[in-house]
Amino acid sequence: MGLAALLGAVAAGATEIVAVDLSADKLALARDLGATRVYDAAEPGVADRIRAETGGGVDHAVELAGAAPAFELAYKITRRGGQTVTAGLAAPTAEFRIPAVNIVADERTVKGSYMGSCVPQRDIPRVIRMYRAGILPVNRLLTRTLTLDRINEGFDLLDRGEAIRQVVLFD
């Protein structure tokens, strides 16, 4: 799940926000941050359940885990005419396969996004203004601060899915 994307959806005025993750803690935080529905990605049949409970699937699915199974799930829950976006950097050998007919028959769009398609000169000042105005509470995503000598521990926490955002402090 991309909690930063969830914050962006809330800030943009989305009224129905579905969050899917393997971590119960992240799902609880997602609900607290504005998700209207949360689902455990490991639940058998979760894609079918999401499609049923959202009236055919979501309009926009955003995958940020960088894992082919997560992108596959995001695609499965996207409704006819919807868009599935990935900004997660999967392993170079990871593949995602779909029947070609689905793109046409379901009128779906699959898109990649590198760094949110950010234009730093335009977008960073805007994000700062939104944060200062209380519209984009990115500070809620900070899990911990680390000193440089603990950076490997930080990477291990990220790898295990036990951290959201960490800041390395230089003394």
Side-chain angles (χ1 to χ4, degrees):
M1 168 187 3
L3 290 166
L6 185 151
L7 289 178
V10 170
T15 56
E16 183 78 13
I17 301 171
V18 174
V20 183
D21 204 282
L22 295 169
S23 165
D25 290 340
K26 288 181 183 176
L27 290 173
L29 179 58
R31 187 172 294 284
D32 191 43
L33 294 173
T36 54
R37 298 173 186 267
V38 297
Y39 298 90
D40 181 342
E43 176 189 322
V46 70
D48 292 334
R49 181 174 167 217
I50 294 169
R51 290 181 67 80
E53 292 180 7
T54 58
V58 300
D59 293 321
H60 303 277
V62 180
E63 181 278 321
L64 295 155
F71 188 75
E72 182 178 309
L73 178 58
Y75 183 80
K76 284 180 180 178
I77 67 171
T78 303
R79 76 174 57 248
R80 184 176 195 276
Q83 181 179 61
T84 308
V85 178
T86 182
L89 290 172
T93 57
E95 293 186 3
F96 168 69
R97 293 178 183 243
I98 55 169
V101 71
N102 286 16
I103 296 291
V104 176
D106 289 343
E107 298 182 322
R108 295 199 209 175
T109 302
V110 174
K111 179 179 170 70
S113 175
Y114 184 70
M115 294 182 59
S117 303
C118 177
V119 177
Q121 293 85 354
R122 177 195 67 204
D123 297 332
I124 292 174
R126 181 173 179 229
V127 168
I128 291 169
R129 283 192 305 274
M130 292 172 75
Y131 169 74
R132 287 180 175 161
I135 298 167
L136 202 61
V138 293
N139 57 306
R140 299 274 317 271
L141 305 182
L142 181 63
T143 307
R144 69 184 44 83
T145 58
L146 304 168
T147 55
L148 187 56
D149 62 325
R150 293 180 57 212
I151 197 163
N152 287 338
E153 175 187 338
F155 281 118
D156 291 341
L157 291 167
L158 285 172
D159 187 53
R160 291 192 306 264
E162 297 173 13
I164 299 169
R165 294 289 182 273
Q166 302 175 95
V167 172
V168 178
L169 301 175
F170 297 86
D171 290 328

